[in-house]
Amino acid sequence: MSQEIDTPAVLLEDLPSPVFLLDRTQPQICWVNQAGQEWLGRSRRSVEGQIIAEFLDNHDAISAAHQRCASSQAPVSLRDYRVPRSGGVNIRCHLTFFPSEAGIGLLLQTAYNPSSESHGQTLSAMGRMLAHEIKNPLAGISGAAQLLRDDVDTEEAQALIDLIGSEINRVRRLADRMERLGDVSGTSHHPVNIHEILRSARRIVQSSVPENIKFTERYDPSLPQTQGDADSLMQALLNLIINAVDAIRTTGESGEIRLETLFRTGVKRRKDDGEGGSTGLPVEIRISDTGPGIPDSVKPNVFQPFVTTKPDGQGLGLALVSKVATAHGGLVEVQSRPGQTVFSILLPVSEETDA
């Protein structure tokens, strides 16, 4: 006779990320999977009954998130949470509390840190390689655009050639920057109008998009400026819009890409200056599409280098988006289900706007 298997329990036990089951009334550990035991360096029996905050620090934040999840019966997330490890090292983690029949679940995921040594070396090597490959054809494209300028006489055609020229210059600046160890953070930040960047990005992509893909723009005109580098923000938005186009194309059907901005309250990111405190991220840019959605198996690692669902993709575009958002003191989020994927870049307000 075959043994009956509790499939959900087996999946949680084998999940590579730490998962805890907490008591519904207090953040007390009732159960932890194998990955959690390895992460704690403790056996399941030795941690049962202990308060999870003893291992994660900041008892107040943990208790508040646990209580909010229990009362609302909805998931509650703590992003970029600093978790102390042995040797006095802190790592960034995303903590997700979620309701379950047995109590309150807690999923702990190590946050992708583009500034870490290993990822930094990877992106640096990619930056130098990509810069070399990008620079080679730029001169030829520039020369061809100049020849086209001499052969056209309409204002619309001249405007398109001007657009080609400005994009060549922008890509050349990005290539120079990538060649310097692939660093997009070593740039001077100035107040930028994100709506102008979005409109330019949409125009660049839309010129080569099939007619069955519709673009919708909905911008908040009262949105304050953000502090940033226009070139790298443009590249991040282009990557997201192009991904949205590619996602809809895989369906073989008509689709819609929506570009939105809005003022979002309540989202903060902890400062990395070691002095505590946080920075508000009220400027939200949303790029959504009606494609098939991101597979659940890929979603947790979608911003890491070389992770892709495209047959011919390199898995570099979203890693760059994450790096650009981080370099601007912000973050990037994704929500995805079949028929709708939404990427959000959250940025701080320009300091000059606050003045």
Side-chain angles (χ1 to χ4, degrees), residues 204-219:
I204 291 166
V205 177
Q206 192 172 19
S207 62
S208 60
V209 168
E211 293 183 357
N212 67 337
I213 297 180
K214 175 186 176 182
F215 280 83
T216 302
E217 293 174 290
R218 190 171 70 182
Y219 302 146

Side-chain angles (χ1 to χ4, degrees), residues 12-212:
L12 285 176
E13 183 66 39
D14 294 340
L15 195 71
S17 297
V19 177
F20 300 85
L21 176 64
L22 308 178
D23 185 80
R24 187 173 281 106
T25 59
Q26 58 182 332
Q28 191 176 50
I29 301 173
C30 301
W31 179 87
V32 57
N33 70 348
Q34 183 62 36
Q37 295 176 71
E38 295 173 359
W39 189 82
L40 292 173
R42 302 274 297 274
S43 69
R44 181 178 298 152
R45 183 181 298 274
S46 69
V47 299
E48 286 180 352
Q50 297 197 43
I51 301 297
I52 187 66
E54 296 176 8
F55 304 100
L56 300 178
D57 208 0
N58 198 334
H59 187 280
D60 291 341
I62 294 294
S63 297
H66 174 272
Q67 184 177 6
R68 194 158 68 249
C69 176
S71 60
S72 66
Q73 285 297 293
V76 174
S77 296
L78 298 177
R79 295 185 60 87
D80 293 321
Y81 191 90
R82 297 283 174 176
V83 176
R85 304 299 288 156
S86 59
V89 176
N90 290 340
I91 62 172
R92 291 193 305 121
C93 295
H94 301 325
L95 277 58
T96 303
F97 295 82
F98 57 93
S100 73
E101 293 183 3
I104 301 297
L106 170 60
L107 172 65
L108 189 149
Q109 295 172 290
T110 302
Y112 165 56
N113 183 0
S115 62
S116 66
E117 183 177 358
S118 59
H119 285 121
Q121 291 175 350
T122 299
L123 290 176
S124 295
M126 289 191 303
R128 292 191 294 272
M129 176 189 70
L130 290 173
H132 175 75
E133 295 299 324
I134 289 171
K135 281 185 172 182
N136 285 338
L138 282 183
I141 296 173
S142 181
Q146 189 59 47
L147 290 175
L148 284 174
R149 183 182 298 279
D150 298 335
D151 293 337
V152 300
D153 51 12
T154 66
E155 291 186 5
E156 182 179 2
Q158 291 288 346
L160 287 174
I161 292 173
D162 289 341
L163 180 61
I164 292 172
S166 66
E167 279 301 287
I168 289 172
N169 291 333
R170 184 185 64 80
V171 172
R172 183 178 287 117
R173 291 193 299 269
L174 279 174
D176 288 340
R177 200 172 302 144
M178 286 160 51
E179 199 167 32
R180 294 193 296 272
L181 304 181
D183 185 13
V184 298
S185 62
T187 58
S188 57
H189 288 186
H190 306 282
V192 295
N193 186 328
I194 201 64
H195 296 148
E196 294 178 359
I197 299 175
L198 272 167
R199 292 189 184 100
S200 296
R202 188 265 305 162
R203 186 182 177 196
I204 291 166
V205 177
Q206 192 172 19
S207 62
S208 60
V209 168
E211 293 183 357
N212 67 337

